[in-house]
Amino acid sequence: MKHKAVAAAILLLAPLTACGGSAEAGDGSTVTVTIGYQSKTINTVTAGTLLRSLGSFEKQLNSLHDGTTYKVNWQDYATGAPITAQMTAGKIDIGSMGDFPLLINAARGKQLGKPTHLVSVTGYNLRGGLNTIVTSPDSELASLADLRGKKVSTSVGSAADGTLVRALQRAGIDPDQDIEKLNQQPAVGASALSSGSADALSQFVAWPGLLAYQGKAKALYDGAQLNLPTFHGVTAREDFAQQRPAVLEAFLKAQAEATDYVEDHPVAAAEKVAEATGLPAEVVYLYNGAHGIATFDPAIKPQLVSVLKDDVAVLKSAKLTGDVDVDSFVDDQYVRKALGADYAKRLAATPAPAASEVWPKGAEDTRSFKSPAELLSYVAQHKDGTRAAYVPDATTGTLWFADKAVWVADGGRLLPFVVPATAQAYVAGHGGARVITYADALERAS
């Protein structure tokens, strides 16, 4: 009798705590939709931080006019793992996370009989530039080969961990035997790097850029060197999607609105995200700006699904999942319906090449330049009037802070690189080219 009473109480409370409850649209009930997001993982902002700031989801829900009162419960997490735990417990309806956590989300959901589905994409980079390995500013480590025998902090099962594993394997380094991997939350790993208890840190946005901006780290490996797509996406519980398809479609319409806002008002969007997260707007813009590392688009592109299938092997080798049926996990029917004819256009869209860009102090817009040398010339003449300057890596296209880049002089050309290894590779293949300091690059450009 006691168990029956508890079960009855849960059924009565369900409509007030999550969309998966028994309340039917039109019965005058109140339904709470619970969203799990990662405020500081800023290439999920169109499904989290920015979306929340704009109030787009609430507006879409109010437009349903189905006789139900909707409330949105936003829950902020540092990584995707706790979002998955809450989803499989029926406590979160919609969540956003990176590609590797998405696979774990799929595996856990199936294992526990609480299936989930990838329903849209947030931010992505087709080369993998969203993840970076960094070291301390005074570190003598200059390449992945130098990580042998070192302590490397990462979040096991994250997209950044996937980048670390793949990068080490390509360099002929066993990620299980040749390094000491520290499984830490991003903030803990950042502290470990600063204290010297970790020699390097492999993390996802916005941690590498934030630490570099703060002068607490320098880049060792640019994830785009892998030339494999990495992305974050939106996952929804299957039972929620089936019971409340109009609510899920409202979320995806709101996500599309937030995506358009990022594209149309990149500076304002960066400022909003900065205000909500406490991150410097200059760091947010590095990833989410007009030429940022992340491209935002809700469409589930085939190349992203393809890399998701390749990611399964990495997670299996780490014994984090078994086989994952990616095709059954991916479900684009809701985003296709939400976006209508616009979906095909978004699916076919390709990211524009990155460009050199300056954010002048006090300006509401940025300035773009045809080449890094032209940007340097401007900065040299406006040192006190430049809020931030960004340049794309000469080989990978990954945007980075101009004053944190590794600069190479090749005749009259000034070329930026995110990490020393790619700069040295360029120098080795171009007679007369050499690495120079940022100050020297500014002087040459002026």
Side-chain angles (χ1 to χ4, degrees):
M1 289 296 292
K2 182 178 180 180
H3 290 301
K4 289 182 179 179
V6 171
I10 291 172
L11 286 173
L12 286 171
L13 287 172
L16 297 176
T17 56
C19 260
S22 60
E24 294 297 329
D27 65 1
S29 61
T30 297
V31 171
T32 298
V33 189
T34 303
I35 309 297
Y37 73 111
Q38 303 171 63
S39 64
K40 287 186 168 59
T41 306
I42 54 174
N43 57 316
T44 65
V45 296
T46 55
T49 308
L50 182 63
L51 180 60
R52 181 179 185 179
S53 176
L54 294 173
S56 300
F57 184 33
E58 289 82 355
K59 293 174 185 174
Q60 286 289 341
L61 288 174
N62 289 336
S63 70
L64 292 180
H65 302 300
D66 58 4
T68 300
T69 299
Y70 293 100
K71 293 183 179 180
V72 182
N73 176 21
W74 297 90
Q75 296 185 2
D76 188 7
Y77 296 89
T79 62
I83 297 177
T84 289
Q86 293 292 86
M87 289 186 75
T88 53
K91 296 180 179 179
I92 286 180
D93 302 306
I94 302 170
S96 55
M97 58 191 72
D99 41 16
F100 280 83
L102 281 168
L103 288 171
I104 295 175
N105 181 274
R108 295 288 187 271
K110 185 174 183 179
Q111 177 186 11
L112 297 172
K114 302 287 186 180
T116 58
H117 292 284
L118 174 66
V119 295
S120 70
V121 169
T122 58
Y124 68 91
N125 183 284
L126 292 180
R127 289 188 62 106
L130 295 172
N131 307 308
T132 312
I133 302 174
V134 298
T135 61
S136 60
D138 57 353
S139 173
E140 295 183 358
L141 302 179
S143 69
L144 286 177
D146 297 331
L147 290 180
R148 290 182 186 273
K150 304 298 183 181
K151 296 179 180 179
V152 183
S153 174
T154 191
S155 301
V156 172
S158 71
D161 182 30
T163 291
L164 174 65
V165 169
R166 281 190 165 121
L168 291 175
Q169 289 174 339
R170 284 195 183 183
I173 301 171
D174 189 326
D176 297 317
Q177 302 294 329
D178 296 338
I179 67 165
E180 182 179 344
K181 186 187 289 189
L182 307 177
N183 182 17
Q184 298 173 324
Q185 293 286 315
V188 176
S191 297
L193 186 69
S194 296
S195 68
S197 58
D199 299 294
L201 171 73
S202 181
Q203 274 301 347
F204 46 79
V205 296
W207 288 97
L210 173 64
L211 295 173
Y213 177 78
Q214 294 174 330
K216 297 179 180 179
K218 62 181 179 181
L220 178 72
Y221 184 84
D222 172 7
Q225 291 174 250
L226 286 174
N227 199 24
L228 288 172
T230 185
F231 72 100
H232 283 64
V234 177
T235 175
R237 294 200 334 264
E238 183 180 277
D239 59 344
F240 159 76
Q242 291 176 348
Q243 293 170 19
R244 306 285 186 189
V247 174
L248 179 54
E249 288 165 22
F251 181 88
L252 295 171
K253 287 179 180 178
Q255 183 194 342
E257 289 181 8
T259 302
D260 291 341
Y261 188 87
V262 168
E263 294 176 354
D264 297 339
H265 311 283
V267 172
E271 296 280 19
K272 282 182 177 292
V273 172
E275 182 180 357
T277 62
L279 290 167
E282 296 87 346
V283 174
V284 178
Y285 197 84
L286 171 71
Y287 294 102
N288 295 8
H291 301 283
I293 301 174
T295 297
F296 291 91
D297 192 337
I300 305 178
K301 296 180 181 295
Q303 55 265 56
L304 302 183
V305 176
S306 178
V307 78
L308 206 58
K309 293 177 179 179
D310 292 339
D311 291 344
V312 174
V314 178
L315 290 174
K316 284 181 66 177
S317 66
K319 296 180 172 58
L320 293 172
T321 66
D323 289 321
V324 179
D325 186 348
V326 172
D327 289 326
S328 66
F329 175 56
V330 176
D331 187 352
D332 65 359
Q333 64 171 307
Y334 300 99
V335 69
R336 283 182 178 274
K337 186 174 180 181
L339 300 185
D342 190 45
Y343 187 79
K345 185 191 305 180
R346 291 180 183 270
L347 194 64
T350 56
S356 300
E357 196 172 3
V358 165
W359 189 349
K361 287 182 179 178
E364 296 182 359
D365 293 302
T366 59
R367 293 189 56 173
S368 296
F369 298 86
K370 294 180 179 180
S371 70
E374 288 186 16
L375 175 139
L376 290 174
S377 178
Y378 175 90
V379 172
Q381 298 173 48
H382 302 83
K383 289 182 179 179
D384 296 330
T386 299
R387 183 170 177 178
Y390 310 92
V391 287
D393 183 286
T395 53
T396 66
T398 301
L399 207 66
W400 205 240
F401 296 109
D403 61 333
K404 308 299 182 184
V406 181
W407 286 89
V408 168
D410 183 7
R413 303 175 68 199
L414 296 170
L415 305 171
F417 298 84
V418 174
V419 298
T422 50
Q424 291 295 346
Y426 180 90
V427 169
H430 296 78
R434 63 187 182 91
V435 174
I436 60 174
T437 65
Y438 178 58
D440 191 6
L442 283 175
E443 185 176 345
R444 287 168 179 254
S446 62

